[in-house]
Amino acid sequence: MLAARDRWDTAAFLAGGSDSWRLSHLEQLVEYNATRPGVVQTFAALAGESVTGGHPAREYFVERYAQARARLAEMLRAEFGDRLAGGRTPEQVAPLLIAVLDGLQTQWLLDPEAVDMGAAFRDFVALLGPGDNSAR
């Protein structure tokens, strides 16, 4: 089920024929996730539970996060080059980007009236630097 959800999300946001993610795709995905709390809740619960030894979804999440870090580093490099704001590399920022995405989901699930995931994510993206906004 988790892998199918990832394929559906990827297909929906890369429908234009491109096979590479942009920050604008992630912004759209954050907004989309705000319309489906049940899916986000299931993902968050399974991700949290998967950190325990022997959990059936552990391998899936280990692999998913490894792939996400690599793909996001590629995306960040394409948009910002080899250095982002503060001199960080795309590989240094990729896990932070994932942490922001997952952390915003958790905060939104706990208090959706107080946390606007889309606005908060756009605020984080603005911290990354100017990037190649012409492609976004």
Side-chain angles (χ1 to χ4, degrees):
M1 179 187 92
L2 291 166
R5 184 203 65 102
D6 286 347
R7 285 192 304 275
W8 297 329
D9 285 353
T10 299
F13 291 98
L14 297 179
S18 171
D19 62 353
S20 62
W21 281 84
R22 306 276 313 166
L23 278 171
S24 60
H25 294 126
L26 291 181
E27 291 170 5
Q28 292 170 4
L29 182 59
V30 169
E31 293 290 349
Y32 178 56
N33 280 343
T35 69
R36 52 189 198 157
V39 171
V40 173
Q41 185 179 46
T42 300
F43 177 87
L46 288 171
E49 291 171 359
S50 74
V51 302
T52 61
H55 191 276
R58 183 179 180 90
E59 185 176 325
Y60 166 81
F61 280 104
V62 167
E63 182 62 27
R64 182 184 191 280
Y65 280 117
Q67 289 178 2
R69 286 189 302 272
R71 291 185 74 187
L72 291 176
E74 290 175 17
M75 177 201 68
L76 290 165
R77 181 166 280 104
E79 292 203 36
F80 296 98
D82 290 331
R83 296 287 171 184
L84 286 80
R88 301 293 184 267
T89 66
E91 288 75 17
Q92 289 173 308
V93 175
L96 302 176
L97 181 55
I98 294 168
V100 167
L101 290 164
D102 288 355
L104 285 172
Q105 288 184 157
T106 299
Q107 293 178 63
W108 173 74
L109 287 167
L110 292 169
D111 194 355
E113 297 301 317
V115 178
D116 180 336
M117 284 196 299
F121 186 72
R122 287 186 297 277
D123 288 342
F124 175 76
V125 169
L127 296 174
L128 298 178
D132 179 10
N133 292 326
S134 64
R136 292 178 57 206

